[in-house]
Amino acid sequence: QVQLVESGGGLVQAGGSLRLSCAVSGIAFTAYSMDWYRQAPGKQRELVATITNAGSTKYADSVKGRFIISRDDAKKTVNLQMNSLKPEDTAVYYCHVRPWRDYWGQGTQVTVSS
């Protein structure tokens, strides 16, 4: 079955960095775009970044220039390097893929203190 397992969240001070990783199994990883979403308390889940199977990337305006999405096809992982973190980046971050339907990871908490 399809599994997405995130890791790398935690508590960091404003201005700091974190790197999230998502290990993917159960699909032909190289065939699909991968996404990172986030959901802050009381807010809707929002798309943060996308990387296509060809390596093209797209970012939400709120993270452009600070976050970098990447993928390692050999390891079947997708990563999110988060720099210059702000308190408003505090959220649960989810890995996502849609091969034939939506699949989500369990989420990893990122907390940025001011």
Side-chain angles (χ1 to χ4, degrees), residues 7-73:
S7 60
L11 172 64
V12 65
Q13 287 190 331
S17 298
L18 282 174
R19 182 179 175 85
L20 307 182
S21 291
C22 174
V24 182
S25 60
I27 61 170
F29 182 76
T30 57
Y32 301 105
S33 295
M34 297 294 304
D35 311 297
W36 283 98
Y37 281 75
R38 67 185 180 187
Q39 187 166 19
K43 295 189 176 182
Q44 288 190 330
R45 194 170 294 190
E46 64 172 348
L47 178 62
V48 174
T50 296
I51 186 164
T52 70
N53 60 334
S56 297
T57 58
K58 190 173 181 180
Y59 299 92
D61 287 343
S62 58
V63 307
K64 207 171 289 184
R66 299 188 298 121
F67 290 13
I68 302 171
I69 188 171
S70 63
R71 63 191 294 157
D72 186 329
D73 288 345

Side-chain angles (χ1 to χ4, degrees), residues 3 6 16-17 29 41 48 71 85 90 98-99 104-105 109 111:
Q3 286 192 313
E6 299 104 336
S17 298
F29 182 76
V48 174
R71 63 191 294 157
L85 282 161
T90 295
R98 187 183 174 87
W104 301 91
Q109 176 70 47
T111 303

